[in-house]
Amino acid sequence: MTTPLLAIENLFAVQNLSIHFERHAQPPIAVVSGVDLHLQRGETLALLGESGCGKSLTALALMRLLPPAARISGGRVQLEATNLLALPEAQMRQVRGGRLAMIFQEPQTSLNPVLTIGAQIAEAVRLHAKPADRQPARVTRRVLQLLDSVGISAPARRMRDYPHQLSGGMKQRVMIAMALAGDPQVLIADEPTTALDVTIQAQVLQLIKDLQRDTGLAVLLITHDLGVVAETADRLAVMYAGQLVEVADCAQFFAAPAHPYSRKLLASVPTAAQRHGKLAAIPGRVPPLDQVSGGCRFAERCFAVQPRCQSTVPNWQQVQNAQQVRCHLWQNGAVDWTRWDTAPPASVVTTPPVAEITPPAHLLEVIDLKVHFPIQRGLFKRTVGAVRAVDGVNLTLAAGETLALVGESGCGKTTVGKAILQLERPTGGQVRYAGVELTQLRGEALRQQRRALQIVFQDPFAAMNPRLLVEDIVGEGLQALGIEPQRARRRQRVTELLDLVGIDATALQRYPHEFSGGQRQRICIARALAVMPQVLICDEPTSALDVSVQAQILNLLKELQQQLGISYLFITHNLAVVSYLAQRVAVMYLGRIVELGMAAEVLTAPRHPYTQALLSAVPVIDPSARRQPVRLSGDLPSPITPPSGCHFHPRCPLARPQCAQMEPPVVAVSATQQVRCFAVQWSNHCVKPANDAK
Amino acid sequence: MRVLMNISAGSAIARHSPSAILLLWALAAVGAPFLPLTPNLIDLPQILAPPSAACWLGSDDLGRSIADRLLFSARTAFIIGIGVVAISASIGAVLGGIGGYLGGWWDLILVRIIDIFLAFPGLLLAIALAGLLGPGIGNLIIALTTVGWVGYARLARAQILSLRHRDHIFAARALGVSHWRIIRRHLLPLALAPLIVEATFGISGAVLAEASLSFLGLGVQPPTASWGNMIRDGVAYLLVAPHLVIAPGVTLFLVVLAVNLAGDQLRDRLDIRSHDRIN
């Protein structure tokens, strides 16, 4: 298979790369088939795909760092004039980290915890320096220069730090500094910001962009995040089930994706515009790679499938000058998508919007909630301090409402959820459900209230006991609370619940590990719904899932809410999900709510500087709308020693001396929106809320 | 092809021989009293007789049949090995589990007690206890259990501590599942696998400890047969009648090796990560 994409002046070119896995007593399984990529100086190419599509394996193959069971079965990897796959290992080591560098998703595990970061960068410097430059003084100078170039302040002091003394964002900067030590021509970044918060992600992406501008570095960015692609890439390649299915310029792609998979993927990203409709979820799941046969690998899930898709492998078709697609639809020229667009998703299945006005009755009331975890030291566990995970949170939740609790990792949002359920006992404050004070309840009285409030966790893999059958998992609450003590009737009820969340009744007698992530999350939802709760706390229920599966789960949650009238407290860091699902939003920073209001207000006219920074840091899927984010300096401070006054003041662009001295009061800026910031009272505060103007 | 088959046949033998030895051991332990054996019959003409067709492992310094005594020793070792492990693992799992689950003062006290016990050399403490309580199988089990529960308590506590913060425990608590039920359904089954493996290794430890104490004269008392006191009796005749030491020595070695190999196999079997990895 050849593609006309390959041009001679390419800095880095991958041709027809295939990888297979050796298996014990079974034929090898092809995990990556015929991948063609090329990169020019200063260019960013994004390799986009969902988990398991083979994008990370491709990256490892380019570095020749594949796990022992994986073999490169064919193809060429060309860096300028060098064919990397033909190099002897000793020379490849020179290329690795020298001309071709890589950074990984988890900076946590990529750094050696027992060496200072200075020593680790120095090692990389020495390995790729000329002999004359290996003198300690010169190496140190280079390390300082590298740390400086990745934006680490006070590098002379920082280079003596150990990895645990740095935050996640700082560690990723150190990783980038190490990658730059050998002056690489190509940087492979494998999900470099997936483990980071959006404000930190914005910093790191900007850093990579700046470095690229200064050094002409070519970047191969491997990601699943369409927002990150739109934000940073020049071109992108979409990967599905081990194959590239579309290659395009970013602008062309986001304007008119050509492959049905790309179209669906793009449509499954939640946005505010889709609030009243369903998201375009992709039915089914990625085919197991040992079962792909002749034909298009997406055929089974494709909305525009044709008979030939099942039988013949599609060839590359030219769409526009730099856009190519591997799809039969394009064989006869342009495709008219309206044929399919009218039928299923979007606005047609519109359901009546849930009342956007908060009903007066509060189902759940959280007043001045505090959760402090004591820090104990020494032989007798003296309490020497406290982690103020939640430090005075006020929330209300009405029947049938969705309130999103938004914040970055470590802000205490998960603890709020657990404290409401009394899974973590609050240190102070009140949690009232339908007038009943939950914090004072113990034992049997609390158990009786358990029916009303349930939780769905982030990681559906850890949220189920691997040794129990699905029937017992879903039926657990029915049994424990004595709702259905009889086994036969319980089974009946569990079958109904599974049906409600779209799981077949054959699941009853199976174990959790037999299901995919999305299916497991459905089972977890069924378990929570079994006791007919009025309030469901969803703790990042979709952040461990791929975007197309996320759309399925969000659709399900929305349907369930309409059917059952339950309220959601939706804990998330993903603002796109918030805009799609929530009626009201609470923004949390370091244990406190800094802004609360209707979703439309908070997301379009944020008044707190933190909310503004958070919103501006979210990558937008619209390459034309690349904007300058409100850059926050530094990281989230430690909740052990929170800053005085307003917790946000050390990072706040508007901070005045007053902010450090006292806690700002809660100011109502409209009937529904509250902000905890002095700045809203200052006359020169810039942002004019849109809804006030109307 | 033939070589390949031999290798696979060999590996099958290697795989099954530990279980075969353990099975023999268990059969001997259970069956010894029902067989026409005379472990304590003194037959003076046969003193130190080498192995022969009639008495195929020979006789000891009192003319007793070594083969018969070995089989009865197997029973002693089995009772002590299983008894010590069963009691100490149960005590350890319960105390460690409670400490790990409840936390707070319970846990603090438990950890301190464990630390104190671990500060003593185990066998020395057992020797002191055995001396204090006097010899005998019952006292031996008490002495070894006193030393042995600590390891299980520590392991159980660590397991429970790591499981306690798993989401499925939170989910169960949110569903109103009682503490007892959570422990029974969610914690114990998941914590059990490493405990079972540890207990398997514990059996070999207990068998060796019993042999050591009996060798020192603090354990099983004559005329009851035990591999330890058989070796002790034979040491005096090592140069003239080595079979007195070799027979119980090799048996002890094989049993301990078989238990450890079986423990390894069990660990591989119980480790979920080693199978079910794909999908």
Side-chain angles (χ1 to χ4, degrees):
Chain A
M1 209 177 311
T2 58
T3 85
L5 283 171
L6 286 169
I8 301 116
E9 73 273 20
N10 287 330
L11 171 68
F12 187 60
V14 180
Q15 257 176 300
N16 203 15
L17 180 75
S18 299
I19 306 168
H20 66 255
F21 262 117
E22 306 277 358
R23 291 187 299 175
H24 180 66
Q26 278 171 299
I29 168 174
V31 284
V32 172
S33 322
V35 165
D36 294 300
L37 297 169
H38 64 104
L39 263 172
Q40 280 149 27
R41 277 179 63 79
E43 188 184 40
T44 302
L45 170 67
L47 185 57
L48 176 79
E50 295 184 279
S51 57
C53 74
K55 56 190 193 300
S56 288
L57 271 180
T58 305
L60 289 174
L62 302 183
M63 296 289 280
R64 282 185 36 198
L65 287 174
L66 284 173
R71 297 263 189 301
I72 296 172
S73 41
R76 267 173 89 82
V77 178
Q78 191 96 22
L79 179 58
E80 287 184 314
T82 327
N83 180 4
L84 296 185
L85 298 187
L87 278 189
E89 180 59 27
Q91 284 179 41
M92 186 63 205
R93 270 211 304 276
Q94 289 300 313
V95 174
R96 237 180 254 143
R99 295 165 65 191
L100 186 62
M102 185 160 180
I103 54 175
F104 298 89
Q105 176 173 352
E106 280 289 344
Q108 220 86 356
T109 52
S110 305
L111 288 168
N112 185 340
V114 299
L115 292 178
T116 61
I117 58 163
Q120 295 184 57
I121 300 173
E123 185 185 16
V125 170
R126 269 194 301 274
L127 276 175
H128 297 287
K130 290 191 237 33
D133 292 334
R134 288 186 194 154
Q135 299 155 352
R138 289 200 183 180
V139 170
T140 307
R141 202 176 325 139
R142 176 87 175 117
V143 169
L144 291 175
Q145 186 198 338
L146 283 167
L147 281 175
D148 191 52
S149 72
V150 295
I152 289 182
S153 53
R157 192 163 52 80
R158 279 297 183 189
M159 68 181 283
R160 286 194 295 272
D161 280 355
Y162 288 90
H164 72 267
Q165 291 167 297
L166 305 178
S167 66
M170 294 282 259
K171 278 184 227 167
Q172 196 59 289
R173 285 167 190 267
V174 171
M175 287 306 297
I176 294 172
M178 279 170 77
L180 294 178
D183 276 326
Q185 294 164 295
V186 179
L187 177 70
I188 301 175
D190 188 359
E191 304 266 10
T193 57
T194 308
L196 306 176
D197 282 316
V198 276
T199 54
I200 310 296
Q201 166 172 289
Q203 293 173 3
V204 171
L205 292 178
Q206 186 61 45
L207 169 67
I208 294 177
K209 242 189 267 179
D210 292 346
L211 290 169
Q212 217 171 356
R213 193 190 51 226
D214 297 345
T215 62
L217 189 68
V219 176
L220 176 61
L221 179 76
I222 292 163
T223 183
H224 70 281
D225 188 332
L226 283 156
V228 170
V229 174
E231 197 82 356
T232 51
D234 302 309
R235 290 187 306 118
L236 90 167
V238 183
M239 202 161 181
Y240 181 78
Q243 276 182 333
L244 292 187
V245 293
E246 180 166 357
V247 179
D249 250 20
C250 246
Q252 289 170 351
F253 178 85
F254 286 102
H259 197 279
Y261 173 65
S262 317
R263 292 188 73 84
K264 278 290 191 182
L265 204 59
L266 212 53
S268 62
V269 177
T271 59
Q274 291 163 304
R275 295 180 65 84
H276 303 312
K278 278 179 89 167
L279 291 172
I282 307 177
R285 56 198 281 200
V286 182
L289 287 169
D290 50 350
Q291 284 167 29
V292 290
S293 51
C296 173
R297 296 182 177 188
F298 188 61
E300 270 175 39
R301 303 173 73 188
C302 186
F303 56 88
V305 66
Q306 296 166 322
R308 62 184 160 170
C309 298
Q310 308 279 7
S311 53
T312 12
V313 178
N315 286 322
W316 283 104
Q317 307 288 339
Q318 191 78 25
V319 177
Q320 293 175 52
N321 45 359
Q323 189 173 20
Q324 293 182 307
V325 63
R326 197 193 280 253
C327 179
H328 286 305
L329 290 178
W330 290 87
Q331 217 161 27
N332 310 319
V335 176
D336 177 21
W337 296 108
T338 50
R339 270 173 65 196
W340 296 285
D341 281 354
T342 48
S347 51
V348 182
V349 203
T350 308
T351 39
V354 180
E356 297 264 332
I357 306 298
T358 318
H362 295 316
L363 195 57
L364 181 74
E365 230 176 326
V366 177
I367 305 158
D368 199 28
L369 184 73
K370 286 184 178 148
V371 185
H372 296 178
F373 297 108
I375 304 168
Q376 295 171 329
R377 290 270 159 74
L379 190 63
F380 298 104
K381 305 266 168 96
R382 276 177 310 117
T383 302
V384 293
V387 179
R388 295 157 181 269
V390 180
D391 206 15
V393 161
N394 293 292
L395 288 174
T396 56
L397 188 64
E401 182 194 37
T402 302
L403 169 66
L405 185 58
V406 182
E408 294 179 281
S409 57
C411 74
K413 55 192 192 301
T414 293
T415 313
V416 169
K418 287 191 173 151
I420 290 174
L421 288 174
Q422 307 301 310
L423 294 175
E424 298 284 1
R425 285 299 187 154
T427 317
Q430 296 169 325
V431 178
R432 282 199 205 126
Y433 169 75
V436 181
E437 173 61 50
L438 298 182
T439 52
Q440 301 306 320
L441 295 182
R442 292 270 177 277
E444 193 52 36
L446 179 60
R447 243 159 65 86
Q448 288 313 314
Q449 293 296 325
R450 291 269 188 223
R451 273 187 85 150
L453 302 148
Q454 281 302 313
I455 185 163
V456 174
F457 292 98
Q458 170 173 6
D459 183 359
F461 296 79
M464 285 189 276
N465 184 338
R467 308 230 165 187
L468 290 184
L469 292 169
V470 168
E471 178 179 2
D472 296 324
I473 290 170
V474 178
E476 183 143 51
L478 297 173
Q479 197 177 2
L481 294 178
I483 300 169
E484 288 289 1
Q486 259 185 303
R487 195 168 176 85
R489 296 190 47 189
R490 196 162 64 231
R491 171 171 291 191
Q492 175 64 33
R493 182 83 188 102
V494 169
T495 315
E496 287 166 21
L497 285 162
L498 287 178
D499 185 55
L500 188 68
V501 297
I503 297 277
D504 199 68
T506 53
L508 285 175
Q509 295 300 315
R510 290 162 71 188
Y511 288 97
H513 74 255
E514 298 174 55
F515 297 90
S516 69
Q519 288 173 317
R520 284 184 221 205
Q521 198 58 289
R522 286 168 188 267
I523 296 171
C524 288
I525 292 171
R527 168 177 65 186
L529 292 178
V531 295
M532 290 173 285
Q534 291 304 301
V535 175
L536 190 61
I537 295 177
C538 302
D539 187 358
E540 305 255 16
T542 59
S543 51
L545 306 173
D546 279 319
V547 63
S548 67
V549 181
Q550 163 175 292
Q552 294 172 7
I553 298 292
L554 292 180
N555 282 339
L556 174 68
L557 285 171
K558 210 159 199 178
E559 276 170 33
L560 289 171
Q561 187 169 47
Q562 279 152 9
Q563 270 181 44
L564 309 171
I566 37 182
S567 316
Y568 292 142
L569 175 62
F570 203 92
I571 299 169
T572 185
H573 68 278
N574 185 335
L575 288 159
V577 172
V578 173
S579 57
Y580 170 68
L581 205 66
Q583 281 107 45
R584 288 196 305 140
V585 182
V587 181
M588 202 164 165
Y589 185 80
L590 212 64
R592 288 181 190 161
I593 304 247
V594 295
E595 181 156 6
L596 178 76
M598 302 306 288
E601 293 172 323
V602 175
L603 298 178
T604 55
R607 299 296 299 271
H608 196 283
Y610 175 64
T611 318
Q612 292 166 358
L614 195 65
L615 283 170
S616 75
V618 179
V620 183
I621 304 184
D622 182 3
S624 58
R626 287 192 190 186
R627 77 278 101 97
Q628 205 54 37
V630 180
R631 196 78 52 73
L632 289 184
S633 57
D635 294 302
L636 197 68
S638 161
I640 302 170
T641 50
S644 61
C646 171
H647 285 175
F648 186 59
H649 83 262
R651 298 175 75 190
C652 183
L654 307 174
R656 293 182 184 182
Q658 180 191 16
C659 299
Q661 283 153 10
M662 53 194 253
E663 226 176 281
V666 175
V667 182
V669 292
S670 78
T672 46
Q673 190 174 8
Q674 301 170 349
V675 183
R676 204 167 182 174
C677 182
F678 289 118
V680 286
Q681 293 155 320
W682 301 335
S683 53
N684 61 351
H685 182 45
C686 46
V687 181
K688 181 96 179 129
N691 52 341
D692 279 12
K694 278 173 200 166
Chain B
M1 195 64 206
R2 202 185 180 86
V3 176
L4 264 179
M5 278 175 68
N6 279 343
I7 288 171
S8 70
S11 75
I13 290 171
R15 208 167 47 242
H16 294 301
S17 53
S19 350
I21 293 177
L22 292 183
L23 191 69
L24 274 179
W25 181 35
L27 282 178
V30 177
F34 306 108
L35 294 172
L37 299 176
T38 52
N40 298 330
L41 181 75
I42 297 171
D43 187 4
L44 294 177
Q46 291 296 318
I47 282 177
L48 302 181
S52 65
C55 190
W56 49 279
L57 284 176
S59 304
D60 69 359
D61 56 332
L62 292 174
R64 296 173 294 194
S65 158
I66 289 185
D68 291 8
R69 287 186 69 73
L70 273 187
L71 287 176
F72 265 86
S73 301
R75 184 177 170 80
T76 314
F78 195 80
I79 291 169
I80 290 174
I82 300 292
V84 166
V85 166
I87 298 171
S88 48
S90 319
I91 294 175
V94 168
L95 288 181
I98 289 173
Y101 188 71
L102 294 182
W105 278 102
W106 270 101
D107 193 37
L108 191 66
I109 292 167
L110 179 84
V111 170
R112 291 293 162 262
I113 293 175
I114 290 178
D115 286 348
I116 290 168
F117 267 89
L118 287 177
F120 286 103
L123 196 61
L124 225 55
L125 188 61
I127 289 172
L129 277 169
L132 219 64
L133 296 166
I137 293 183
N139 287 345
L140 198 58
I141 291 180
I142 293 174
L144 291 178
T145 305
T146 313
V147 184
W149 69 274
V150 187
Y152 302 101
R154 201 165 56 149
L155 183 64
R157 176 176 173 272
Q159 287 291 319
I160 301 288
L161 273 184
S162 73
L163 287 171
R164 196 168 65 131
H165 294 288
R166 292 257 289 258
D167 282 347
H168 67 87
I169 308 291
F170 280 119
R173 283 173 57 197
L175 286 167
V177 181
S178 64
H179 286 305
W180 172 234
R181 219 180 136 76
I182 287 178
I183 292 177
R184 222 180 54 216
R185 265 170 63 121
H186 292 276
L187 291 173
L188 277 185
L190 297 180
L192 216 52
L195 274 172
I196 289 174
V197 173
E198 178 76 6
T200 318
F201 292 120
I203 292 176
S204 64
V207 168
L208 275 180
E210 178 267 320
S212 314
L213 288 176
S214 299
F215 181 81
L216 294 172
L218 291 164
V220 180
Q221 292 302 297
T224 310
S226 125
W227 292 324
N229 66 24
M230 286 176 75
I231 295 175
R232 170 189 160 91
D233 290 347
V235 166
Y237 308 96
L238 197 57
L239 292 179
V240 284
H243 64 277
L244 259 60
V245 172
I246 291 172
V250 168
T251 315
L252 186 61
F253 161 74
L254 282 179
V255 165
V256 169
L257 183 66
V259 172
N260 285 344
L261 289 177
D264 277 338
Q265 288 176 0
L266 196 63
R267 181 177 50 200
D268 295 345
R269 182 80 57 91
L270 290 177
D271 188 1
I272 299 180
R273 275 168 298 181
S274 60
H275 15 245
D276 292 338
R277 198 68 208 255
I278 296 155
N279 286 321

